[in-house]
Amino acid sequence: MATSYKELGLVNTKELFAKAIKGGYAIPAYNFNNMEQMQAIIQACVETKSPVILQVSAGARKYANATLLKNMAKGAVEYAKELGYAIPIVLHLDHGDSLELVKSCVEGGFSSVMIDGSHLPYEDNVKLTKSVVDYAHAHGVTVEGELGVLAGIEDDVVAEHSSYTKPAEVVDFVSKTGVDSLAISIGTSHGAVKFKREQCTVSPDGVLIPPTLRFDILEEIEKKLPGFPIVLHGSSSVPIEHVRILEQFGGKLKDPVGIPEEQLRKAAKSAVCKINIDSDGRIAMTAAIRKVFAENPSEFDPRKYLGPARDSLKALYAHKNKDVLGSAGQA
Ligand code: G3H
Ligand code: 13P
Ligand code: ZN
């Protein structure tokens, strides 16, 4: 039987984005697959009084199970109240690739979906996105579309090279499809290695400093779509403190480099009102678990390593809400 997101106590993104644009901040969209990640997200967002988008990829949905996810989202709403503050919570499909998947998510309690036709020829992207908008809007569910291709891996879609969003296309795309928000490509990319070493400069202590995002393209898009919600994917910062812990305890990442926090802060003050973060959580969690394993080889109670991982995630998300996205205090 289909469940509406409203029955679960969730909200769509409409009002949240309108407020975020006016207020000059961005709503965090944190990816999750399991209970500890969800607990950390809710704890951090309640503590900082931030609205939040719980973001689920097709892979995460397969991993966690759709029925469990629906009930976890319902649980998240109750959990926030129990922690003392009823923050607005969105359950969002990340990188949806078909109308069938979208239908299944909407029937399973999602309040927002992304349809990612960015790798398709323009007219096919318009057609697919419009079919999703027609269906989703009939159920009160908001839709994110994408124009432009991010470098790196987009779920199952591998993009060798990025192609920045063409500002000349955005008005046509938004008016033909009726999307509620638009993900754009201005230099961010998925994963822990966002740029090639040769694109970066190297600091004296060996840290890679990436090139600046294409804020000129963002500005052009804002001029063409005044007040329209823009989304940034691939916005992990790959914090060096967590990378160092991961490496200290046996992990290896080749040439890790993310999007510097000050650039995300600048983006959040503009029409960018949703910022997607997954990799930073993965790194923080893995670093914390590696530390416990290395320091206590005899430990085999999952609570003893998942607990510290959850604490580290919570601190990471609270920091992002307060110091990067500016969503703290906006719930
Ligand atoms: O954009 C992709 C997200 O980081 C989700 O990744 O498909 O491995 O769950 P995933
Ligand atoms: P990161 O890999 O930078 O965390 O990006 C996540 C993302 O865009 C999910 O859609
Ligand atoms: Zn993404």
Side-chain angles (χ1 to χ4, degrees):
M1 210 185 61
T3 309
S4 159
Y5 69 86
K6 291 171 195 155
E7 294 167 47
L8 306 178
L10 300 164
V11 296
N12 69 21
T13 58
K14 197 90 198 159
E15 216 176 291
L16 296 188
F17 286 172
K19 282 193 194 159
I21 290 200
K22 265 202 203 129
Y25 60 93
I27 314 282
Y30 296 131
N31 287 69
F32 84 111
N33 308 270
N34 66 34
M35 184 186 75
E36 280 77 8
Q37 292 168 327
M38 189 272 274
Q39 289 173 319
I41 295 168
I42 299 301
Q43 288 171 8
C45 292
V46 167
E47 192 175 282
T48 59
K49 292 193 164 55
S50 169
V52 70
I53 298 173
L54 289 175
Q55 191 156 261
V56 177
S57 70
R61 192 161 172 264
K62 214 183 263 175
Y63 175 83
N65 177 276
T67 307
L68 288 177
L69 268 179
K70 175 171 74 183
N71 286 290
M72 281 170 85
K74 183 169 184 258
V77 173
E78 300 297 321
Y79 183 46
K81 284 185 206 154
E82 200 179 301
L83 291 175
Y85 202 79
I87 53 170
I89 301 176
V90 175
L91 181 63
H92 175 81
L93 169 67
D94 195 22
H95 295 286
D97 62 354
S98 69
L99 178 59
E100 290 66 39
L101 174 61
V102 164
K103 281 184 179 170
S104 167
C105 287
V106 170
E107 286 175 3
F110 281 62
S111 58
S112 172
V113 294
M114 175 193 195
I115 182 72
D116 182 0
S118 60
H119 53 287
L120 298 172
Y122 180 79
E123 288 305 334
D124 295 349
N125 186 3
V126 168
K127 202 169 149 203
L128 175 65
T129 305
K130 179 162 177 14
S131 70
V132 164
V133 170
D134 289 346
Y135 172 81
H137 282 182
H139 294 79
V141 168
T142 39
V143 180
E144 172 185 327
E146 180 166 340
L147 267 183
V149 180
L150 271 65
I153 296 168
E154 288 207 317
D155 214 4
D156 292 336
V157 186
V158 180
E160 272 283 307
H161 305 286
S162 67
S163 61
Y164 298 127
T165 305
K166 298 186 184 89
E169 289 180 347
V170 298
V171 172
D172 186 69
F173 186 80
V174 166
S175 57
K176 279 189 181 150
T177 60
V179 285
D180 302 281
S181 60
L182 182 68
I184 61 165
S185 170
I186 56 165
T188 63
S189 74
H190 293 105
V193 183
K194 299 197 182 297
F195 301 93
K196 295 200 177 80
R197 176 170 273 271
E198 39 300 3
Q199 292 175 282
C200 303
T201 48
V202 187
S203 78
D205 50 356
V207 177
L208 295 182
I209 302 164
T212 307
L213 295 178
R214 291 290 304 270
F215 282 100
D216 56 319
I217 298 179
L218 173 60
E219 278 163 29
E220 261 192 83
I221 293 170
E222 282 188 86
K223 274 190 203 136
K224 296 202 182 276
L225 291 173
F228 190 80
I230 299 299
V231 177
L232 279 192
H233 282 247
S235 297
S236 278
S237 296
V238 191
I240 192 67
E241 323 79 84
H242 288 146
V243 171
R244 293 244 155 96
I245 297 172
L246 191 122
E247 288 172 345
Q248 187 188 345
F249 297 105
K252 276 194 182 70
L253 288 175
K254 191 168 164 13
D255 292 341
V257 56
I259 309 299
E261 292 186 345
E262 47 301 351
Q263 292 187 42
L264 295 171
R265 212 173 295 136
K266 180 174 170 185
K269 288 186 181 145
S270 74
V272 170
C273 58
K274 171 174 179 275
I275 290 191
N276 286 12
I277 295 162
D278 187 356
S279 299
D280 282 354
R282 295 178 178 194
I283 295 168
M285 196 165 194
T286 306
I289 291 173
R290 276 191 175 280
K291 184 169 189 287
V292 176
F293 284 168
E295 290 177 345
N296 307 288
S298 61
E299 189 53 72
F300 64 96
D301 178 344
R303 293 170 296 186
K304 297 286 166 45
Y305 50 88
L306 293 176
R310 184 175 64 193
D311 293 345
S312 174
L313 273 182
K314 180 189 169 186
L316 172 87
Y317 295 139
H319 160 68
K320 287 187 185 286
N321 294 350
K322 282 188 281 199
D323 306 322
V324 185
L325 281 71
S327 63
Q330 302 293 348

